[in-house]
Amino acid sequence: MFLENTVNHKEQFGWIEVICGSMFSGKTEELIRRLKRAQFAKQKVEIFKPAVDTRYHDEMVVSHDSNEIRSTPVPAAANIAILAQGCDVVGIDEAQFFDDEIVRVCNDLANRGIRVIVAGLDMDFKGNPFGPMPALMATAEYVTKVHAVCTRTGNLANYSFRKTDNDKLVMLGETEEYEPLSRAAYFHAMKKNEEQ
């Protein structure tokens, strides 16, 4: 990752980093890597995730590779601002599950001098921008888009294709419910679903 962060000690502002991409692209893995480096540097780090995300563990942020870091599940973005007092770095996983308040919270934290690292899906299973992610990406100083490998073509995948008939926007799942697809594979899969 290329960061052009110049240091001006008179200006005590933080910044926002967004890690986005499809399912199985390594978003959480990259979030954990950055947070563990900050912990190693003896920075005060707090990690948050939406309380609705209980796939792997109630209180841990866990990647698909089983890499993990302790976190605090919160029911709403507003809780993060209260719990992040005195932090140097704040990590937020699965940001797409929060409401639009997460954008204000992240900007307020950055304005207080905190480095904010946010990970989330940039598109939902229909290929549309997901929740607050577009606004977070627009206001962030740094955006890293990571890609999975398409299970059908082997090309870079940036779509999360839902393999089940469930049409709910939010549906927690893993490889049984979702697969990462390239643009071409996603287009053909969606076309096939429409024809059925």
Side-chain angles (χ1 to χ4, degrees):
M1 182 172 92
F2 180 68
L3 293 179
E4 298 179 53
N5 190 21
T6 58
V7 178
N8 177 349
H9 294 290
K10 292 178 186 172
E11 184 181 79
Q12 295 297 317
F13 275 71
W15 63 86
I16 301 171
E17 303 169 26
V18 173
I19 306 161
C20 63
S22 69
M23 292 190 69
F24 314 109
S25 62
K27 297 178 306 299
T28 300
E29 192 75 25
E30 177 63 15
L31 174 69
I32 292 170
R33 184 189 73 80
R34 293 182 194 185
L35 294 171
K36 284 187 174 179
R37 287 179 70 220
Q39 287 177 333
F40 184 76
K42 307 268 189 273
Q43 294 176 332
K44 186 166 180 345
V45 177
E46 289 291 338
I47 303 104
F48 302 96
K49 72 175 191 172
V52 69
D53 183 14
T54 57
R55 284 174 294 177
Y56 292 118
H57 196 279
D58 289 343
E59 294 180 355
M60 302 289 274
V61 168
V62 182
S63 72
H64 297 295
D65 291 348
S66 299
N67 197 356
E68 61 186 26
I69 194 167
R70 182 152 303 285
S71 70
T72 302
V74 291
N79 298 90
I80 296 171
I82 298 163
L83 298 169
Q85 297 293 329
C87 290
D88 299 309
V89 181
V90 168
I92 303 168
D93 196 30
E94 303 293 355
Q96 75 278 355
F97 291 144
F98 287 107
D99 59 18
D100 289 338
E101 179 74 5
I102 192 73
V103 179
R104 186 192 61 75
V105 167
C106 289
N107 278 287
D108 287 350
L109 291 172
N111 292 342
R112 288 183 1 213
I114 297 171
R115 175 185 178 197
V116 182
I117 311 170
V118 182
L121 292 167
D122 53 356
M123 290 188 290
D124 62 22
F125 75 102
K126 294 179 179 179
N128 297 318
F130 205 157
M133 289 301 290
L136 282 168
M137 292 164 67
T139 58
E141 280 80 359
Y142 307 104
V143 177
T144 304
K145 182 152 181 165
V146 290
H147 296 84
V149 175
C150 179
T151 55
R152 300 182 188 189
T153 67
N155 292 329
L156 287 180
N158 63 320
Y159 289 89
S160 302
F161 178 70
R162 187 178 289 173
K163 299 189 287 187
T164 65
D165 286 338
N166 189 328
D167 205 34
K168 286 175 36 181
L169 181 60
V170 175
M171 185 184 102
L172 296 175
E174 288 302 314
T175 55
E176 295 79 30
E177 294 83 19
Y178 294 96
E179 70 179 306
L181 296 181
S182 65
R183 179 180 294 277
Y186 181 80
F187 174 82
H188 294 301
M190 292 300 282
K191 190 171 182 182
K192 185 177 178 184
N193 281 355
E194 290 171 6
E195 292 169 356
Q196 292 177 348

